[in-house]
Amino acid sequence: MKSRCLVRATVSAVLLFLVAGVAAAQAPVRHPYYGETHVHTGWSFDAYIFGNTKTGPADAYKYAMGLPITHPMGYQIKIETPLDWMGVTDHSEYVGTIALANTPGSSISKLPVAESLKVRTPADVQRIYLWLGYTMIDMKPVKSLVSPEVAGTVWKENNDIANQYNKPGKFTAFCSYEWTSTPNNRNMHRNIFFRDCAKVPELPFSSLDSQDPSDLWNWMDAQRAKGSELLAISHNANLSDGHMFPIDVTEKGNPIDAAWAASRDRNERLTEIKQIKGQSETHPTLSPNDEFANFEVLTYLLGDPEGHPPQVPGSYVRQGFKDGLTMMAARGYNPYKTGVVGGSDSHDTGVPYRQSNFFGAHGINDGNIKERMSGHVFAGMDVRYENPAGVTGIWAEENTRASLWDGMQRKETFATSGPHIQIRMFGGWNYAAGTEKLKDWASIGYTKGVPMGADLPAAAGKAPTFIVWAVKDPTSGNLDRLQIVKGWSKSGQSFEKIYDVAWSGARKRDAFTHQVPPIGSTVNIAAATYTNTIGSIELKATWTDPEFDPALDAFYYARVLEIPTPRWTTIQAKELGITPPEIVSPTVQERAWGSPIWYTPSAGDRAATKNSMTVADLKAKGAVALDDSALTKLIVGHSTWLQNNVTNGKFVVAWAPNGLQLVGNVNPRDLQPSEVGDVATAAYLGHSSSYSIKGGKILTSVGNAPFETAVYKLGNKYYAARSNEFGYANYEIIPVPSQLGENMQFQLQ
Amino acid sequence: MTEPHEAPVRPGPRWRFLHEPLVQFFLAGLALFAGYRVLHPESGNSRYRIELTPDDLAQMTVSVLAQERPAPDAKEMSSLIDQKVREEVLYREAVAMGFDQGDEIVKRRMAQKMEFLAEDLSDLKEPTQEELRTWFNQHQDQFQVSGRITFRHLYFSPDSRGKRALPDAAAAAERLAGKPAEWPGAAREGDQFMFQDRYADRSPEQVAAVFGGGFARALFLATPGTWVGPVESGLGYHVVVVEELRPPSVPAFEEVLPDVRTAWIDAQREAYKQKSYAGMRAKYQVVLPPGVSDSLASGAGVTPRALGF
């Protein structure tokens, strides 16, 4: 007995030793490889119409490798820092056919429809773009232009060119394309990347096959079953009108369920967080406490539909991450565990990545400096809102299709707003303080924890620690600060908080807000210059979450900001000798974002939290939902004091008979749940919004999205449930409080 | 027509319109048209007749104007017309070969085309070493490879030293001046660098990607073998020792013989293409629209401003 125990102990010890040894030996050595996930050439129907008639995928690869190419308007363009890899993503819809319609003698040029596709005057550009765009938006494709023969030939040629430019170890060219689904002007576009060009299908799945992403995922599953690995990258969530990250219903109108979530998670490994048409990280309405959220916001929908203000909730990835956590806690699945990439969406074959070299992205619509700076209105968009392309970094072993694609698949990626900033983060339970100072910190990162894009292993009875690191682009601005963005969820509500973890200079955290003050600016707007006399070269930290609750789902991602530098509009205003436009900021803080690391509580840990009652709980206890007349009697012409039972925040709502409501007495220090807007400022300034009562709900709106609140009466108490809080009734009507500052002493410590 | 005393250096108001680009363009068009007519009198065979319509010419002009470039002058217009003609010639030859017909013909023709190509290549007799060597000597610039460098560096971090980074680097450079790469004292200098302390066999572009372009340029000018500095990069200050520097070079003929052969074949093929096009082109007569000035004059509103570009 005794000896058996000894043997077992020895075996375990040997096993442990082996496992530890193997783990240590296996710490991968990965490098950041910069590349492009999203670029169009003259083979895209719209790019051709924009005047990009002479360049194709080969020119895009040449540009990425550092060779000069010709812009559609005839001048030379050259990349500032060459890329390590690229996937050309021409629109699969009408691919090649517009070029052929304009090619004398081609079969398509002889069709009657070709006449209406010929570009004769600049006015034709917008007309044909909108016409073809709308045939896709309305799912009424021009049948004669949907030619499998043409599409198949162009797709094959695209892949042949990728093979020709793919030089393992030097430059990687992917087989890829864009699925361009735009139902009701909502951007649902996805870029599809194949791991192995030898296994690509004969034809890509286009939005003319289906505009529904779940059909795309089914097709991708079928490809995978045939042995072809592929992944999708969603982009321009910011132009999706709230449809990129839905919480209740799918595009088909069915309730979101576990199968839909699993399909999305399996296929959509990444999302593009920034490109020429704006960033999709977050919006000031969704992140009122993020002082850096106001960055390259674009309020627009493709095709510029009339009378259609775009919806903010559902259109940004940070909120998607937060809603994913709540879906996990409330429903047991998370469809939104996506990594992040940056891209361009240039339609010029070449791509402007820098403020100092911005040549537009849509051929003749924005390719001329005077036209651009005069605020040319291109399909409803003032082109001055455009900004340089984002870039993707992949941490991978080597510059090959397989290694890079695997990095995308495991989401060990980051995005930058254009400069080649490096950013990296690891999460784990056992990193010692000061690990970031060790020479082999990255190897420790892997052996004692997980990289960006991964899940933290089960909680170890303490708070998780993160090693986070960033280095500036040697040709760009110094770094201001390195941050960790945390999101978490409780009782159907989700929250976010941004921690400054390393910053340049001798700045001190504000004693009360705990925020690091702004770095200041060296920008001379008139001269369009800046100096690197402020800011850091490298920022790094080993950071432990000071507010960790093992019972709550959470994510963490790193963000680093450069010092302020002049925006392209400021630089080009100087060139032209005019005043910089005021519709955009004269300066920007370039930045990089890492993919998140997720924490999911075990069932045991989860049980430790105390949630509010759900609507189902209330109904089971005999609570009654108020109908329209009961609601009217309760609130209209009254002021109601409410408590958010998750945060204990108290506030009052004055409901005017004319349909205006004013939320008041909001303490800026109270955490606010998702999608309530900047209620603290609105309360302070007295900004009201509208409400109405209909169908037993109080209807309100935030960021052009509708929200409903139902009220339940249980005994003599009233509880309210907001429609974005996953079935929880988190609000309670309370008596008028006699004082609101009881926590003051605690907060001043 | 013009009396001598009315011929000023600057054209008078009556003749100033001759300097308007659009007018120059019409005149150039007319001249070209006339020229072609003289050189290529009309023949009855439309198979070999390429007619450019006023629409064609207008489209060419618009595409130039749309780029906010001045209206094409006679030389540019002639080159645009040449391009157009070339496209049309090749298209008609392709049609004549049946490329626009059904599958059967296309297949047969493609097979023939492959043979055609093979013949072209086999027609090119295998070049001799000497032919290739002579050609290589004439086209050396095509084969130049960029320089390569192997270096070590000590890093002086503005993050940890602030304004002292530069003087500290200068002082260290002085202590190490003239010392070889392996000098033991070097290990005591500098700060931990976030990437590598030694880089082997790097091109200027690879150095620039890590340190910035200015550093890469300075590094390739440094004298190999001893510590020098300070050298500024996008990340701070460095004292560097170049261990090995290979300047841009043209490899020996023998090293790149297969590449030379490929390039030689490409060049021969290009020459063949030019020759065969010239053969095809010679059969064609190009006709510009009659009354070219009238029809374009009616579109005189086609100016950059009116188009909004």
Side-chain angles (χ1 to χ4, degrees), chain A residues 73 105 122 422 472 474 536-538, chain B residues 67 91 159 194-195 234 308-309:
Chain A
M73 297 196 68
Q422 300 191 29
K472 68 166 283 194
S536 288
I537 310 295
E538 181 185 28
Chain B
Q67 297 168 25
Y91 160 62
D159 284 352
M194 60 290 265
F195 306 122
F309 275 78

Side-chain angles (χ1 to χ4, degrees), chain A residues 82-138:
Chain A
L83 299 174
D84 301 307
W85 55 272
M86 173 180 263
V88 169
T89 52
D90 278 313
H91 295 294
S92 54
E93 299 74 17
Y94 299 129
V95 70
T97 52
I98 308 309
L100 286 174
N102 282 274
T103 303
S106 73
S107 56
I108 284 188
S109 74
K110 291 175 185 162
L111 300 172
V113 71
E115 270 314 297
S116 45
L117 287 170
K118 285 179 186 159
V119 179
R120 293 201 172 82
T121 70
D124 289 339
V125 172
Q126 181 151 313
R127 177 182 62 77
I128 302 174
Y129 166 65
L130 288 176
W131 171 49
L132 284 181
Y134 268 95
T135 66
M136 288 160 58
I137 290 168
D138 301 337

Side-chain angles (χ1 to χ4, degrees), chain A residues 10 212 293 305 319 371 461 508 636:
Chain A
T10 312
D212 188 306
Q319 186 59 43
E371 189 64 18
K508 296 259 183 300
V636 178

Side-chain angles (χ1 to χ4, degrees), chain A residues 63 81 114 152 174 214 301 315 340 398 418 517 534 619 653 675 706 716:
Chain A
Y63 182 82
T81 309
F174 281 103
S214 60
L301 292 175
S315 299
V340 296
E398 55 181 25
I534 55 172
K619 284 182 177 165
V653 188
E675 298 165 336
N716 58 357

Side-chain angles (χ1 to χ4, degrees), chain A residues 677-740:
Chain A
D678 187 0
V679 279
T681 300
Y684 174 68
L685 297 175
H687 286 167
S688 61
S689 56
S690 63
Y691 77 99
S692 59
I693 294 171
K694 199 175 169 188
K697 306 275 166 60
I698 305 167
L699 310 184
T700 55
S701 78
V702 172
N704 307 323
F707 291 86
E708 299 175 346
T709 302
V711 180
Y712 299 87
K713 186 167 193 241
L714 179 65
N716 58 357
K717 288 194 156 190
Y718 292 93
Y719 295 93
R722 199 164 183 258
S723 53
N724 67 330
E725 295 185 0
F726 296 82
Y728 286 90
N730 285 318
Y731 305 87
E732 185 179 340
I733 295 183
I734 55 168
V736 180
S738 57
Q739 54 175 219
L740 291 166

Side-chain angles (χ1 to χ4, degrees), chain B residues 82-150:
Chain B
D82 278 351
Q83 275 173 32
K84 192 89 186 164
V85 168
R86 184 186 178 92
E87 206 173 80
E88 190 61 23
V89 167
L90 292 176
Y91 160 62
R92 288 199 197 172
E93 292 293 314
V95 171
M97 291 176 86
F99 284 153
D100 63 335
Q101 299 303 309
D103 276 355
E104 228 17 69
I105 297 173
V106 171
K107 255 189 235 163
R108 214 180 305 145
R109 279 297 175 185
M110 284 174 97
Q112 279 176 351
K113 192 176 161 197
M114 289 315 291
E115 284 168 25
F116 203 57
L117 279 176
E119 277 167 24
D120 291 345
L121 294 182
S122 56
D123 264 6
L124 294 173
K125 63 174 177 46
E126 183 63 30
T128 65
Q129 288 279 101
E130 266 331 287
E131 273 175 313
L132 286 181
R133 189 186 295 277
T134 310
W135 192 84
F136 170 75
N137 288 336
Q138 287 160 354
H139 299 88
Q140 287 201 345
D141 50 328
Q142 283 185 32
F143 299 92
Q144 177 166 311
V145 290
S146 61
R148 287 285 187 285
I149 201 161
T150 298

